[in-house]
Amino acid sequence: MLSAYLYRTRKSLLKRPLKFVLLLLALAMSVFMIFFPTLMAGDEDEVIRNPNVVLGGITLVLIIMFNFMCISGVKNGVVGFSLSDVNFHMAGPFTSRFNLIILVEGVITTCAMLLWVLSCQVAVLYQMFGVSSADVVALLCGSALTMIVGFLIACFFGAKYAEDEGMKRKLLIGIGVIDVLFIGAFVLSTVRKYGSFSAFTGLGFQGIVAEFGTSIFAQTFPVAGWISLIYSGIVKNSLIYLLVGIALVILTFVVIFILYSRNELDYYETAIVYAQKVADLVEARKAGVDTDTANINRKIKVGKESLKSGWGAGAFTSMHFLQNSRASKLFFVNSLGLMYRLI
């Protein structure tokens, strides 16, 4: 299965040599920026590095990326397939679990773009927080691992409940509840430590980030906190942190393996429908048909009606306002749009 997929990927890359060259140039630029702090280490105006601020910042970034991937995986777990995936993988001798895992390719592309943007900000981060090249490498590797693990977990549930919108809504609410519990517990604990909320806010941005990075709530945050715990053990020379973080990450991969190997997934019908929709939109765009509002059209529901709010007629009204604004020559000023608003 893997050899067939790699063969297809290799052939696809050979068809786009310019894209491959641009990828190499972007990679070279990222490598240079990663080692920028090392190159500047001998500067007389050396910045002051606060390890707690750096660790807190890394943990915060990992938590944000984990949440982003979890939400994306639950909402769009089986909509990333193309018609070639449908014809090649789903019609071939591949398991549904393997076909779901190949969606990570799209995640890796998104991950690479985000990591490239982060690496381009190394000079600013070095001047502001004194990050080192090792910090940047830890941030990039940790982010990639966090995003892939978060997507694998969320994509599984997104595929398992592909037809159950109610269950997917509950999963999304659960993600929000976890964030509120951990962040709320951190805020309450820190306020209690310093005596008042004003004293807490008086710490400033860097102070709050430093407190967060060293708190138990950040270090035990699902997946993101565990991965950050590994680097915390390296920076603080703590073998306990290092071993606990590695053990939790290994346990996470074991859980993912069990989820994918012990459960049957039936999501092909939904995946095929969405793959056909995407293909139709691409063909319509080639033919010059505006498909920018396709996402809006798909989500319109009939129900409670009001002017420019709610569902039903309100949704259609909002859609008309949006289309008229796009057709205007000067911002939102459009004769048809103004007439429609008056009516």
Side-chain angles (χ1 to χ4, degrees):
M1 290 185 295
L2 185 60
S3 60
Y5 174 71
L6 293 177
Y7 172 80
R8 177 188 158 202
T9 303
R10 186 173 69 253
K11 288 295 183 181
S12 177
L13 286 175
L14 291 175
K15 291 179 180 178
R16 302 176 179 85
L18 181 60
K19 182 178 179 181
F20 184 70
V21 172
L22 292 175
L23 179 63
L24 290 179
L25 291 175
L27 182 62
M29 179 180 177
S30 298
V31 172
F32 172 78
M33 294 304 299
I34 288 171
F35 288 99
F36 177 82
T38 302
L39 297 174
M40 298 295 292
D43 195 348
E44 295 180 358
D45 298 329
E46 187 174 356
V47 297
I48 299 175
R49 180 176 184 272
N50 187 335
N52 290 337
V53 174
V54 173
L55 290 175
I58 291 175
T59 307
L60 191 59
V61 171
L62 297 187
I63 290 175
I64 292 173
M65 289 191 171
F66 180 72
N67 276 272
F68 171 73
M69 279 301 163
C70 282
I71 294 172
S72 177
V74 172
K75 292 178 65 177
N76 307 311
V78 294
V79 302
F81 292 100
S82 63
L83 282 183
S84 59
D85 294 327
V86 170
N87 295 329
F88 181 76
H89 292 288
M90 294 184 183
F94 307 112
T95 64
S96 59
R97 293 183 289 272
F98 176 81
N99 288 337
L100 188 63
I101 291 174
I102 66 171
L103 287 180
V104 176
E105 178 188 14
V107 176
I108 292 175
T109 303
T110 304
C111 180
M113 290 296 295
L114 290 174
L115 297 183
W116 183 77
V117 172
L118 281 175
S119 65
C120 292
Q121 311 304 316
V122 171
V124 177
L125 296 176
Y126 170 73
Q127 293 294 333
M128 292 179 63
F129 308 110
V131 298
S132 65
S133 297
D135 297 331
V136 180
V137 172
L139 174 61
L140 298 183
C141 294
S143 298
L145 184 60
T146 301
M147 293 174 76
I148 292 174
V149 171
F151 185 80
L152 284 174
I153 295 173
C155 189
F156 169 82
F157 290 104
K160 187 174 181 64
Y161 302 106
E163 300 292 339
D164 191 347
E165 292 295 331
M167 188 61 190
K168 290 168 69 173
R169 194 177 299 111
K170 291 178 182 178
L171 290 171
L172 294 174
I173 293 174
I175 295 171
V177 169
I178 292 174
D179 291 336
V180 171
L181 287 177
F182 275 85
I183 296 176
F186 160 71
V187 172
L188 291 176
S189 174
T190 310
V191 168
R192 184 178 179 182
K193 175 182 176 181
Y194 286 95
S196 65
F197 187 77
S198 59
F200 168 73
T201 56
L203 295 173
F205 174 75
Q206 292 194 24
I208 293 175
V209 171
E211 285 288 337
F212 181 73
T214 56
S215 69
I216 188 66
F217 309 104
Q219 295 166 349
T220 58
F221 194 92
V223 181
W226 307 339
I227 294 174
S228 178
L229 196 62
I230 297 175
Y231 189 59
S232 296
I234 296 174
V235 172
K236 296 182 178 181
N237 198 24
S238 173
L239 185 62
I240 295 178
Y241 279 12
L242 181 63
L243 293 178
V244 170
I246 292 174
L248 289 173
V249 172
I250 293 175
L251 181 62
T252 302
F253 277 104
V254 171
V255 171
I256 292 174
F257 177 79
I258 294 173
L259 283 176
Y260 277 81
S261 61
R262 298 293 181 87
N263 290 274
E264 293 297 329
L265 298 171
D266 183 17
Y267 59 88
Y268 278 5
E269 184 176 349
T270 304
I272 292 172
V273 168
Y274 277 101
Q276 186 61 55
K277 283 184 178 181
V278 172
D280 291 342
L281 292 176
V282 171
E283 292 300 321
R285 184 180 291 275
K286 289 180 180 178
V289 179
D290 180 23
T291 58
D292 291 336
T293 57
N295 199 33
I296 298 176
N297 294 334
R298 190 171 64 225
K299 294 183 178 179
I300 288 177
K301 299 179 180 180
V302 177
K304 187 177 180 180
E305 299 176 359
S306 61
L307 182 61
K308 204 182 177 183
S309 64
W311 296 345
F316 281 99
T317 303
S318 299
M319 185 181 69
H320 274 287
F321 287 163
L322 179 62
Q323 290 175 340
N324 288 331
S325 299
R326 285 174 173 168
S328 63
K329 302 299 181 183
L330 179 63
F331 300 104
F332 60 88
V333 179
N334 180 278
S335 56
L336 292 177
L338 293 175
M339 188 179 299
Y340 187 84
R341 292 171 186 271
L342 290 174
I343 294 175

